[in-house]
Each structure stands twice: as C-alpha cells, then as structure tokens.
Amino acid sequence: MNSAIIKGTGHYTPEHILTNADLEKIVDTSDEWIQTRTGIQERRVLNGHNDIGLSGMATNAARDAIDDAGLEPKDIEAVIMATVTPDYRLPATATLVQHNLGIGRVALMDIVAACTGFLYGLSVSRAFITCGMYKNVLVIGGEHLTSITNYEDRTTCVLFGDGAGAAVVSRGEPSDNGRGILATYLAGDGQYKDLLHIPLGGSKNPFTNDNAHLPGRHVHMDGREIFKLAVKEMADAAEHVLEQAGCKPSDIDMVIPHQANHRIIEALRRRLNVPEDRVYSNIQSYGNTSSASVPIALDEARRTGVVKEGSLVLSTAFGGGLVWGSALYRL
Ligand code: COA
C-alpha cells in the first residue's frame, strides 16, 4: 500500500484583529471572563477585507502549502475544501480555489464536517493516495466564521475567528521511510444536531423577507453540553488512532488539537496524560476557527520548529453535527 505523507503546509489569517477589549464595547463581557473561560485574547476577522472572502483566504493558505511542498499548482490532482462558511451555496469553494491558483481540471469537492473538517479531508486524501488514485491532494480547512456569528450573543461571539490552513498530502517514496499519515478515525452522531447549528438559510428553512434578519441566521450553540462531549470524544478519538497504529501517548511528540477552548485542550491533555510542552495551542491569538484551526496550528508549529520532519503528531477535533475524529501522522 502507498503511504500518504504531509509534504507541505500553509496558512493565512486576516490582518484585522478583534481583541477582548473590542468585544467589551459590543456585548456585556470582560477580558477577564473570556481569558479565564476560553484562553482567547484576540481573533482575526475578515471585517473590512470581505473582498477576498473565504476562497481568498483558502487560496493564500493553499498557495503557501503547494510552495512548501516544492510543487506547482499543475501537480495537484484533487482539491478537498473543508468549510461550513462557503463563499456561495453553489458552487463549491474548492472550485474557486482551483480557478484562483490555476490548478488543472481535477477532482474538486467541499466537505461539511465543521471543526473536524480538516481531519475528514486528511482522511479522504489518504484514502485517495493509498489506493493509488492520486499522487498529490490539496486539503484545506478554512472559515469565515464571523459571517455567521451573532454579535449580540455574548456566549458565542467571543469565541470565533476567521482564517484558513492547508496541507499537500502526497504519495510517499521509499526514502520517506516511516513518514506519513499512520491512522485516522472519523465519527459522528446526528442526534446532537441542535447543540451546534444554524437554523435558517438551508433548503428546509430558507430565508424569506420575514426571517432574514432573525438570530436564526447565525450559529446557535449549547456551550456547556458541547464542552462535555468535546472532551470525551476528542480523547476517545485520540485513543482510537493510537491503538490502530500500535502507539502509546508517550510516543507522541506533539498533540495539535482543534483549538476550541484552552480548558478543553487542558482536559484532553490530562486524559491522554501527556506533558504540557507536548500540546500545541494558539487559541489566544485566533480563537476558534473551526476547520481552519488544526491546519493553522500545524503550519505554525512546523514553521517555528516546534515540530519537524520525523515528529509524531496527533490531531483530534470535534464540532457541529456532531462530528469528531483524529489523525496520527509522522511528519
Ligand atoms: N462574558 C461574560 N459572561 C458570559 C459570557 C461572556 N462572553 N458568556 C456566557 N457568560 C455567562 C453565562 O451567561 C453564565 O451566566 P449565569 O451563570 O449568570 O447564567 C455564565 O457566564 C457561565 O456560563 P456557562 O455557559 O456555564 O460558561 P462555561 O464555563 O461553560 O463557558 C463556553 C462557556 C462557551 C466558553 C464553554 O462552554 C465552551 O467553550 N464550550 C465549547 C464551545 C465550543 O468550542 N464550540 C465549538 C465546537 S468545538
């Protein structure tokens, strides 16, 4: 069987910064509450830079990932875009990225798996590559979350930010020995669909003149329930991939989890029993960027030398659906 290795990564976040102090002026909250309960200090927002949209952020992240992999857009044979905030309901954002970058007429698809979207994309890319169908697959996680955020709801608006991250997953060579995506695990359960959802704007409850201004057009979340389930299922998903690959938590060089809340990350760390310096977190700078959070963190960790070629990395994520999953990979 072919191996599938992460050959290059990239990320893009908007320049505009929304701080906790800025949010104090918008809703009844405080820097102290936000930092204590979530770990977030600031987040990046497309506000004022809407012209590039999600597809623009995804394009920038993807361009860097292709470059980092030492490839050119023409080498990419499939584009998998994970997002819940596409520029349009039709067409798929993957088609916009393909066109922006001058990628050929290849397989283009969007995946809707919320915060777990990038790991779903990684798993699909691995399947494409190990079965011999493609050699180079571009996987992107990107969100314009502030476009679906209700800035009158303090329980959610302090959490979310915008950004995109990308990876090129390629067929490994014998000389890459030991590198590659070693195991993935994907799961979900639709019984929890109302815990984190956008009630309006789909084909079941389409926008009308009467409802288009209602809060139902934004994200609704039961934060407390999500919190409990996230800790349990992210840890469970992590154990699945460790078991599949025959590894122990002590083998992991770095856990790069979905960045939803520093308390969720800390609870996960304790469950996995890994030391603090083996868990990567950048939630203070970006907040929760949903499907973008893992690839942004992975790219940052690679570029700053926190992880390097040969590092064993575990990523695990959880989000609306509910869907969750994990991946274990040697860089
Ligand atoms: N500022 C100040 N007070 C706030 C607030 C804010 N931004 N948001 C909520 N509060 C208040 C609540 O109204 C509540 O007040 P009450 O006790 O008077 O009713 C109090 O703080 C505690 O609320 P609670 O919801 O229990 O807080 P929490 O400790 O669970 O933290 C979240 C809330 C949202 C930060 C937390 O539940 C969380 O991170 N959940 C996961 C969310 C997530 O990541 N979702 C994405 C998918 S992974």
Side-chain angles (χ1 to χ4, degrees):
M1 197 167 73
N2 299 312
S3 63
I5 68 166
I6 295 179
K7 201 166 179 179
T9 56
H11 82 272
Y12 174 85
T13 54
E15 278 171 32
H16 190 78
I17 294 174
L18 185 69
T19 64
N20 291 350
D22 295 329
L23 285 164
E24 284 176 352
K25 294 178 200 139
I26 303 172
V27 286
D28 179 15
T29 190
S30 67
D31 175 48
E32 201 263 332
W33 191 95
I34 301 171
Q35 287 212 44
T36 318
R37 298 294 181 114
T38 72
I40 302 167
Q41 294 171 8
E42 58 187 41
R43 63 293 285 147
R44 301 298 181 100
V45 299
L46 263 186
N47 188 13
H49 304 270
N50 276 330
D51 48 322
I52 76 164
L54 168 70
S55 59
M57 294 194 293
T59 300
N60 291 341
R63 188 183 292 112
D64 279 358
I66 294 169
D67 193 47
D68 185 46
L71 298 174
E72 292 181 26
K74 66 172 173 46
D75 299 318
I76 300 298
E77 298 164 276
V79 180
I80 302 173
M81 174 82 221
T83 188
V84 294
T85 49
D87 278 3
Y88 309 104
R89 288 186 65 194
L90 187 71
T93 304
T95 66
L96 308 178
V97 174
Q98 173 264 353
H99 181 64
N100 288 346
L101 288 175
I103 291 170
R105 293 175 160 184
V106 302
L108 306 170
M109 71 188 81
D110 283 12
I111 288 183
V112 180
C115 308
T116 320
F118 179 77
L119 297 184
Y120 267 68
L122 212 56
S123 191
V124 173
S125 73
R126 177 184 183 231
F128 278 151
I129 287 166
T130 54
C131 80
M133 197 162 164
Y134 301 123
K135 250 166 88 176
N136 297 305
V137 179
L138 176 62
V139 184
I140 312 165
E143 302 290 357
H144 186 180
L145 277 188
T146 58
S147 70
I148 53 166
T149 299
N150 180 356
Y151 284 96
E152 291 179 1
D153 175 10
R154 68 175 182 172
T155 67
T156 53
C157 76
V158 300
L159 303 174
F160 301 125
D162 299 328
V168 173
V169 183
S170 299
R171 186 187 299 171
E173 306 291 337
S175 57
D176 291 321
N177 103 61
R179 292 178 67 197
I181 302 171
L182 307 180
T184 61
Y185 172 76
L186 305 177
D189 190 343
Q191 74 166 299
Y192 301 113
K193 67 181 171 46
D194 294 337
L195 292 185
L196 182 48
H197 69 143
I198 303 173
L200 292 177
S203 60
K204 187 157 191 231
N205 297 307
F207 288 129
T208 63
N209 287 342
D210 296 330
N211 72 17
H213 61 286
L214 296 176
R217 71 187 190 280
H218 293 125
V219 166
H220 284 245
M221 183 179 73
D222 180 339
R224 217 174 288 185
E225 263 321 291
I226 293 275
F227 191 105
K228 283 188 274 182
L229 288 162
V231 173
K232 180 186 172 302
E233 301 301 353
M234 283 170 76
D236 185 59
E239 279 157 17
H240 271 278
V241 285
L242 286 169
E243 195 182 309
Q244 267 183 58
C247 294
K248 309 181 289 302
S250 57
D251 298 327
I252 303 168
D253 292 307
M254 193 58 61
V255 179
I256 303 186
H258 170 48
Q259 310 283 312
N261 182 317
H262 82 97
R263 290 185 295 141
I264 293 179
I265 295 173
E266 176 56 15
L268 172 72
R269 184 189 74 74
R270 284 170 191 269
R271 286 213 183 187
L272 291 177
N273 195 20
V274 292
E276 277 177 31
D277 62 355
R278 297 210 174 177
V279 179
Y280 191 80
S281 176
N282 59 11
I283 189 156
Q284 66 284 354
S285 311
Y286 303 119
N288 181 345
T289 57
S290 189
S291 68
S293 91
V294 169
I296 290 175
L298 171 60
D299 186 49
E300 264 191 6
R302 285 183 73 239
R303 286 176 197 260
T304 54
V306 170
V307 291
K308 45 189 184 302
E309 200 171 303
S311 296
L312 185 67
V313 179
L314 184 143
S315 289
T316 174
F318 181 90
L322 298 172
V323 286
W324 58 93
S326 57
L328 186 70
Y329 43 100
R330 194 172 291 285
L331 291 171

